[in-house]
Amino acid sequence: HNIDVDNNGFISLEELNQASIQEGGDEVTREQWRLMCDYVSAKENVGITFKDFKKIHGMGSDNSK
């Protein structure tokens, strides 16, 4: 939950990028952010919940096995 810097219950693109850079990762592009928000039906200008973040983070894995 350290990603939500302002503790408003949502992770913004800026907060996500800040966390990613601190972890040595790449920044998320606006297009990637739009796709993530679409995936969880979130508003781009509001952000995603931590629950949605976990859902997005796991979308590349096959959990059906």
Side-chain angles (χ1 to χ4, degrees), residues 10-11 14 26 34 41-43 49 52 64-65:
F10 295 93
I11 300 168
E14 292 77 18
D26 295 327
R34 186 187 64 75
S41 300
K43 294 181 180 177
T49 64
D52 286 341
S64 63
K65 295 181 181 176

Side-chain angles (χ1 to χ4, degrees), residues 20-39:
S20 181
I21 290 168
Q22 287 175 352
E23 293 294 318
D26 295 327
E27 285 192 14
V28 175
T29 67
R30 290 256 175 222
E31 178 65 11
Q32 290 169 322
W33 178 247
R34 186 187 64 75
L35 292 171
M36 284 190 264
C37 289
D38 284 350
Y39 181 74

Side-chain angles (χ1 to χ4, degrees), residues 3-63:
I3 299 172
D4 182 15
V5 176
D6 62 8
N7 292 315
N8 69 348
F10 295 93
I11 300 168
S12 68
L13 174 60
E14 292 77 18
E15 289 170 326
L16 183 59
N17 279 333
Q18 184 178 28
S20 181
I21 290 168
Q22 287 175 352
E23 293 294 318
D26 295 327
E27 285 192 14
V28 175
T29 67
R30 290 256 175 222
E31 178 65 11
Q32 290 169 322
W33 178 247
R34 186 187 64 75
L35 292 171
M36 284 190 264
C37 289
D38 284 350
Y39 181 74
V40 295
S41 300
K43 294 181 180 177
E44 293 175 51
N45 63 328
V46 175
I48 57 175
T49 64
F50 188 70
K51 181 178 178 182
D52 286 341
F53 174 75
K54 291 192 305 185
K55 185 177 183 181
I56 292 166
H57 193 67
M59 73 183 184
S61 62
D62 185 359
N63 295 327

